[in-house]
Amino acid sequence: MGGADRIREQGGAGTFEARAYAARSATSPLAPLTIRRRAPGPKDVRIEILHCGICHSDLHSVRDEWSSILATTYPIVPGHEIVGRVAAVGPEVGKFRVGDVAAVGCIVDADGTCEGCREGQEQFCPAVTFTFNGPDRHLGGVTYGGYSEAIVVEERFVLKVPPSLDPARAAPLLCAGITTWSPLRRQGAGPGRKVGVVGLGGLGHMGVKFARAFGAGVVVFTNSPGKREDALRLGADEVVLSRDAGAMLRHAGSFDLILDTVSADHDVNALLGLLRSGGNLTLVGAPSKPLEVSAFALIFGRRGLSGSNIGGIAETQEMLDFCGKHGIAADIEAIPVQKVNEAYARLARSDVKYRFVIDMASLR
Ligand code: NAP
Ligand code: ZN
């Protein structure tokens, strides 16, 4: 019998209670729930959560929209854009001290030995455990995320937050930040390259900031005319309304790279037509239904269609350090946890500027 089983047999010794917000079914609103967290082991860091961003993946998961790939186990406590203060550390923890500002993103466990882990791409580890709705190898059941007052995570998955960053505005970097940073970096977004960002939400607005900071030319494609001024302020050189056929045509065959952050079904063929020959459209958005792709949109021009999933731990730290150095953080609307259902309704209709971040003091 494993250690976790013994702990539960002992009636919860080795665990502590934490207040959280959870959904109990795909149709129920998020509501208060008391969960159990493990007491920190030798390598663990216990974090008092101060801020947690609301990612559209939280909404997809709460509504079980990815049921065919990643079915949701209820109750679900979402949240993987976590910034907090270190409240306790195990005896073998070396990088963190009580009182430090620390962060946790989408990954809380991985085997550390597979090819993905060796390459610093823990998100591709066959044994990766995501921060919520993943198998909890310590306590059994599933992992609970950041809509909670505390979390316990092994040190190797805990990130340092540069002191120059506002902790609330840094929280979305842990998912929206790394998810856009990683493909832009890998594909050489920089001077002389023309980058398109499709969808100006949490991911999209970070994509614009990073592409701009790397020196690339940036064009935003949006369905929301009201976001035009913001897109320019965030760093876009130009903003195109995706339904404006004339404006789309003017950009045909001109992009090196397009980052598609759209969360719902949409026409990727129209976007592929914007790529120059050899250009690449990278999907980071994760619509629940398969997208229809025209072979000709790829064949004519030898265009590539690819995907990208968050990023590894080391590259997440690199991204945070870059943000600290260059003063980059998310544009946020801070909310108390009691407004989370309202925020979800707004997120579902693209009414977000540009990330909701829960002020976790409201839970205490
Ligand atoms: P978000 O803040 O809701 O932004 C998505 C944006 O997509 C919206 O603001 C909207 O932008 C656009 N959009 C929404 N519905 C659309 C539609 N029907 N047609 C065209 N455009 C539409 O969401 P997010 O948090 O940035 O996440 C975006 C997607 O990425 C989600 O599917 C999420 O699950 C996924 N994601 C993937 C990863 C990964 O590792 N690959 C990581 C995090 C999130 P406009 O108003 O500008 O049109
Ligand atoms: Zn996310």
Tab-separated table of all heavy atoms in Angstrom, residues 19 54 59 71 108 113 129 135 138 154 220 223 231 233 242 252 316 356 359:
chain	number	residue	atom	x	y	z
A	19	ARG	N	-9.866	25.996	1.493
A	19	ARG	CA	-11.079	26.488	0.833
A	19	ARG	C	-10.821	26.610	-0.668
A	19	ARG	O	-9.712	26.987	-1.073
A	19	ARG	CB	-11.481	27.859	1.398
A	19	ARG	CG	-12.223	27.753	2.725
A	19	ARG	CD	-12.393	29.100	3.376
A	19	ARG	NE	-11.116	29.502	3.970
A	19	ARG	CZ	-10.995	30.442	4.912
A	19	ARG	NH1	-12.052	31.098	5.341
A	19	ARG	NH2	-9.809	30.751	5.407
A	54	ILE	N	-7.868	33.257	-14.942
A	54	ILE	CA	-8.928	32.403	-15.508
A	54	ILE	C	-8.621	32.193	-16.986
A	54	ILE	O	-8.716	33.115	-17.794
A	54	ILE	CB	-10.320	33.045	-15.332
A	54	ILE	CG1	-10.648	33.200	-13.844
A	54	ILE	CG2	-11.380	32.201	-16.055
A	54	ILE	CD1	-12.013	33.827	-13.570
A	59	LEU	N	-12.638	27.027	-18.467
A	59	LEU	CA	-14.042	27.006	-18.896
A	59	LEU	C	-14.340	25.748	-19.724
A	59	LEU	O	-15.344	25.064	-19.487
A	59	LEU	CB	-14.323	28.285	-19.697
A	59	LEU	CG	-15.697	28.474	-20.317
A	59	LEU	CD1	-16.803	28.383	-19.280
A	59	LEU	CD2	-15.774	29.839	-21.007
A	71	ALA	N	-11.595	13.962	-20.437
A	71	ALA	CA	-12.879	14.056	-19.737
A	71	ALA	C	-12.679	14.646	-18.338
A	71	ALA	O	-11.659	14.411	-17.695
A	71	ALA	CB	-13.514	12.680	-19.636
A	108	VAL	N	2.266	19.945	-12.589
A	108	VAL	CA	2.690	19.739	-11.196
A	108	VAL	C	3.444	18.436	-10.985
A	108	VAL	O	3.906	18.162	-9.874
A	108	VAL	CB	1.496	19.808	-10.208
A	108	VAL	CG1	0.943	21.230	-10.128
A	108	VAL	CG2	0.401	18.815	-10.586
A	113	THR	N	12.369	11.493	-16.382
A	113	THR	CA	13.340	10.614	-17.039
A	113	THR	C	13.072	10.415	-18.528
A	113	THR	O	13.963	10.011	-19.262
A	113	THR	CB	13.335	9.209	-16.381
A	113	THR	OG1	12.004	8.689	-16.458
A	113	THR	CG2	13.768	9.278	-14.927
A	129	THR	N	1.431	15.286	-15.012
A	129	THR	CA	0.206	15.565	-14.254
A	129	THR	C	-0.087	17.039	-14.368
A	129	THR	O	0.744	17.887	-13.997
A	129	THR	CB	0.370	15.197	-12.765
A	129	THR	OG1	0.713	13.824	-12.676
A	129	THR	CG2	-0.925	15.450	-11.996
A	135	PRO	N	-4.443	12.932	-12.690
A	135	PRO	CA	-4.388	11.927	-11.617
A	135	PRO	C	-3.435	12.373	-10.510
A	135	PRO	O	-2.274	12.670	-10.799
A	135	PRO	CB	-3.873	10.673	-12.325
A	135	PRO	CG	-3.253	11.158	-13.596
A	135	PRO	CD	-3.879	12.466	-13.957
A	138	HIS	N	-0.386	11.447	-5.187
A	138	HIS	CA	-0.170	11.526	-3.746
A	138	HIS	C	-1.424	11.158	-2.954
A	138	HIS	O	-1.369	10.376	-2.017
A	138	HIS	CB	0.271	12.949	-3.357
A	138	HIS	CG	1.549	13.355	-4.005
A	138	HIS	ND1	2.770	13.094	-3.451
A	138	HIS	CD2	1.791	13.976	-5.181
A	138	HIS	CE1	3.724	13.544	-4.254
A	138	HIS	NE2	3.155	14.090	-5.309
A	154	GLU	N	5.674	20.025	-5.776
A	154	GLU	CA	7.095	19.700	-5.694
A	154	GLU	C	7.911	20.862	-6.267
A	154	GLU	O	7.559	21.459	-7.284
A	154	GLU	CB	7.343	18.419	-6.496
A	154	GLU	CG	8.594	17.705	-6.066
A	154	GLU	CD	8.817	16.438	-6.896
A	154	GLU	OE1	7.852	15.684	-7.127
A	154	GLU	OE2	9.961	16.239	-7.314
A	220	VAL	N	-3.081	41.771	-35.911
A	220	VAL	CA	-4.099	41.070	-35.117
A	220	VAL	C	-5.331	40.828	-35.980
A	220	VAL	O	-5.785	41.728	-36.693
A	220	VAL	CB	-4.471	41.892	-33.865
A	220	VAL	CG1	-5.766	41.391	-33.234
A	220	VAL	CG2	-3.339	41.845	-32.852
A	223	ASN	N	-12.556	39.294	-34.212
A	223	ASN	CA	-13.986	39.391	-34.560
A	223	ASN	C	-14.640	40.536	-33.814
A	223	ASN	O	-15.834	40.751	-33.955
A	223	ASN	CB	-14.699	38.093	-34.159
A	223	ASN	CG	-14.648	37.074	-35.268
A	223	ASN	OD1	-14.599	37.430	-36.441
A	223	ASN	ND2	-14.657	35.804	-34.913
A	231	ALA	N	-5.670	46.619	-29.398
A	231	ALA	CA	-4.694	45.803	-30.133
A	231	ALA	C	-3.503	46.666	-30.549
A	231	ALA	O	-2.349	46.248	-30.426
A	231	ALA	CB	-5.356	45.168	-31.351
A	233	ARG	N	-2.539	49.472	-29.097
A	233	ARG	CA	-1.831	49.856	-27.870
A	233	ARG	C	-0.951	48.703	-27.366
A	233	ARG	O	0.153	48.908	-26.853
A	233	ARG	CB	-2.866	50.246	-26.794
A	233	ARG	CG	-2.265	50.569	-25.430
A	233	ARG	CD	-3.337	50.928	-24.402
A	233	ARG	NE	-4.397	49.945	-24.253
A	233	ARG	CZ	-4.280	48.811	-23.567
A	233	ARG	NH1	-3.144	48.510	-22.961
A	233	ARG	NH2	-5.298	47.968	-23.485
A	242	SER	N	-11.683	39.922	-38.994
A	242	SER	CA	-11.613	38.664	-39.755
A	242	SER	C	-12.728	38.549	-40.788
A	242	SER	O	-12.580	37.851	-41.785
A	242	SER	CB	-11.668	37.476	-38.800
A	242	SER	OG	-10.623	37.587	-37.869
A	252	ALA	N	-3.102	38.394	-48.150
A	252	ALA	CA	-2.945	37.016	-48.652
A	252	ALA	C	-1.479	36.715	-48.966
A	252	ALA	O	-0.757	37.545	-49.528
A	252	ALA	CB	-3.806	36.819	-49.897
A	316	THR	N	9.537	28.210	-19.140
A	316	THR	CA	8.597	29.085	-18.433
A	316	THR	C	9.366	30.072	-17.539
A	316	THR	O	9.040	31.262	-17.477
A	316	THR	CB	7.602	28.253	-17.585
A	316	THR	OG1	6.926	27.339	-18.449
A	316	THR	CG2	6.577	29.142	-16.893
A	356	PHE	N	-9.135	37.692	-16.825
A	356	PHE	CA	-9.685	37.797	-15.465
A	356	PHE	C	-8.695	37.129	-14.524
A	356	PHE	O	-8.198	36.033	-14.805
A	356	PHE	CB	-11.034	37.089	-15.366
A	356	PHE	CG	-12.127	37.744	-16.162
A	356	PHE	CD1	-12.617	37.164	-17.318
A	356	PHE	CD2	-12.661	38.975	-15.752
A	356	PHE	CE1	-13.614	37.770	-18.061
A	356	PHE	CE2	-13.661	39.586	-16.494
A	356	PHE	CZ	-14.139	38.989	-17.649
A	359	ASP	N	-8.671	37.520	-7.247
A	359	ASP	CA	-7.961	37.962	-6.052
A	359	ASP	C	-8.344	36.991	-4.936
A	359	ASP	O	-9.457	37.029	-4.426
A	359	ASP	CB	-8.398	39.392	-5.714
A	359	ASP	CG	-7.752	39.886	-4.428
A	359	ASP	OD1	-7.009	39.103	-3.779
A	359	ASP	OD2	-7.999	41.047	-4.073
